[in-house]
C-alpha cells in the first residue's frame, strides 16, 4: 500500500458525460501527478500540482482539468467524454517538486466510456 | 521530442536465470532516471532513482546502472523468481521542462 488513495476504483459512463476522479496523496506529500494509461500505450503524464498550484502540464486535453485543494487532495475532471478516453487513470504523489523525487502511485481509476 | 526506449519489449526466462534490460534516453540535459516495477493488477512501485553518471543502485537481487553520457541505463535481475514477473518501466527527466518521460516498459515473465 503506497498511501495514495484514489476513488472510485471503477467508473462506467456514456459519451458526452462528465466525471470527477479523486486522489488523496500520501501524508506529507505536496506534489500530485495525474497519468493516463490507455491500451497499448505507456503512462502519459497529464498534469502536476504542487501545494495547490499547477506545476507542469503534459498531454492533457482541453476537455480535462484538474485542481489541488488546500488539504492537498486533487481532482481530475473529464468532460465531454469520448470512447477514446477509456483508460486507467493513475494519481501519484511525491514529497516535493524535484523530478528526482520518487513517485508513489495510487491504485488507479478504471474509466470505461460506452 | 524526447523519447525513452526500452528493450526488449518482452522477455520470458526460467526461474533462476539472470536477466537484464535496457532503457535508452537522450544524453543531453540529463536530470534523473527512474525505474519502476509494475505488477499486473497493481500500481507502479519505485525501484530506483538515479541522478549521477556511473550511479549503481541495488535492492536485493535487482540492480541498475546509469550512463548519462551515452544515454542508457541497465536493469539487472539476478536469479529471477516467479514473483519478479512484472513490467519494468523507466522514466527519464531532462531537457528544459523537467517532466518525466516514460518508456513503454519491458514485460518480464519468469517461468517456474
Amino acid at each position: 500500500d503506497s498511501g495514495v488513495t484514489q476513488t472510485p476504483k471503477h467508473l462506467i459512463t456514456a459519451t458526452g458525460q462528465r466525471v470527477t476522479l479523486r486522489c488523496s496523496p500520501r501524508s506529507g506529500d505536496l506534489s500530485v501527478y495525474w497519468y493516463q494509461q490507455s491500451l497499448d500505450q505507456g503512462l502519459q503524464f497529464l498534469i502536476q500540482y504542487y501545494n495547490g498550484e499547477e506545476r507542469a502540464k503534459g498531454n492533457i486535453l482541453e476537455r480535462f482539468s484538474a485542481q489541488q485543494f488546500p488539504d492537498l487532495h486533487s481532482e481530475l475532471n473529464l468532460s465531454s467524454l469520448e470512447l477514446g478516453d477509456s483508460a486507467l487513470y493513475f494519481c501519484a504523489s511525491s514529497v516535493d517538486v524535484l523530478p528526482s523525487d520518487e513517485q508513489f502511485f495510487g491504485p488507479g481509476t478504471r474509466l470505461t466510456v460506452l | 521530442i524526447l523519447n525513452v526506449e526500452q528493450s526488449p519489449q518482452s522477455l520470458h526466462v526460467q526461474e533462476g536465470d539472470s536477466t537484464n534490460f535496457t532503457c535508452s534516453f537522450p544524453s543531453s540535459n540529463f536530470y534523473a532516471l527512474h525505474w519502476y516495477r509494475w505488477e499486473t493488477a497493481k500500481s507502479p512501485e519505485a525501484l530506483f532513482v538515479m541522478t549521477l553518471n556511473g550511479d549503481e543502485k541495488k535492492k536485493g537481487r535487482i540492480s541498475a546502472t546509469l550512463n548519462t553520457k551515452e544515454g542508457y541505463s541497465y536493469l539487472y535481475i539476478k536469479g529471477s523468481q516467479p514473483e519478479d514477473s512484472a513490467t519494468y518501466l523507466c522514466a527519464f527527466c531532462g531537457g528544459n521542462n523537467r517532466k518525466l518521460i516514460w518508456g513503454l516498459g519491458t514485460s518480464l515473465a519468469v517461468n517456474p
Side-chain angles (χ1 to χ4, degrees):
Chain A
D1 183 0
S2 67
V4 179
T5 60
Q6 287 186 251
T7 56
K9 203 167 182 179
H10 301 277
L11 198 48
I12 301 175
T13 188
T15 54
Q17 295 298 305
R18 172 191 164 96
V19 297
T20 297
L21 312 184
R22 184 188 166 103
C23 168
S24 292
R26 280 188 334 155
S27 176
D29 283 0
L30 297 177
S31 270
V32 167
Y33 309 79
W34 284 100
Y35 291 94
Q36 180 192 57
Q37 201 246 338
S38 305
L39 203 62
D40 295 334
Q41 291 203 14
L43 277 173
Q44 298 292 317
F45 167 68
L46 295 178
I47 198 164
Q48 177 195 2
Y49 278 82
Y50 174 72
N51 205 19
E53 301 288 327
E54 182 183 304
R55 178 76 182 183
K57 234 172 179 174
N59 302 322
I60 188 165
L61 299 172
E62 282 192 17
R63 300 183 285 110
F64 296 1
S65 64
Q67 53 186 329
Q68 186 180 28
F69 295 88
D71 67 352
L72 300 177
H73 91 270
S74 178
E75 292 180 356
L76 179 67
N77 301 297
L78 315 176
S79 61
S80 303
L81 284 167
E82 301 175 0
L83 294 177
D85 297 327
S86 295
L88 190 52
Y89 291 85
F90 282 110
C91 164
S93 71
S94 66
V95 64
D96 208 302
V97 72
L98 297 175
S100 55
D101 291 334
E102 195 173 300
Q103 294 187 19
F104 296 85
F105 282 77
T109 292
R110 167 94 42 203
L111 174 66
T112 303
V113 182
L114 301 175
Chain B
I1 295 177
L2 298 176
N3 271 332
V4 175
E5 295 184 1
Q6 291 189 246
S7 61
Q9 188 175 353
S10 65
L11 197 52
H12 286 78
V13 301
Q14 289 299 123
E15 183 175 353
D17 288 350
S18 292
T19 187
N20 67 84
F21 17 95
T22 307
C23 173
S24 301
F25 50 85
S27 56
S28 58
N29 293 327
F30 175 87
Y31 194 91
L33 192 283
H34 295 233
W35 280 102
Y36 285 77
R37 179 167 70 189
W38 191 358
E39 293 180 64
T40 303
K42 295 188 177 180
S43 43
E45 289 181 14
L47 287 172
F48 307 113
V49 180
M50 295 183 286
T51 56
L52 297 175
N53 184 42
D55 257 355
E56 289 189 28
K57 297 224 171 172
K58 189 173 179 180
K59 191 181 280 190
R61 294 178 292 98
I62 304 177
S63 59
T65 61
L66 177 67
N67 184 323
T68 61
K69 293 187 178 176
E70 295 182 41
Y72 65 84
S73 175
Y74 292 141
L75 189 79
Y76 300 91
I77 302 179
K78 186 177 176 183
S80 303
Q81 299 297 307
E83 58 264 30
D84 296 327
S85 298
T87 295
Y88 291 83
L89 296 168
C90 73
F92 159 79
C93 177
N96 297 323
N97 57 25
R98 298 286 168 92
K99 292 179 285 195
L100 278 184
I101 311 295
W102 294 77
L104 293 179
T106 292
S107 174
L108 174 67
V110 182
N111 301 317

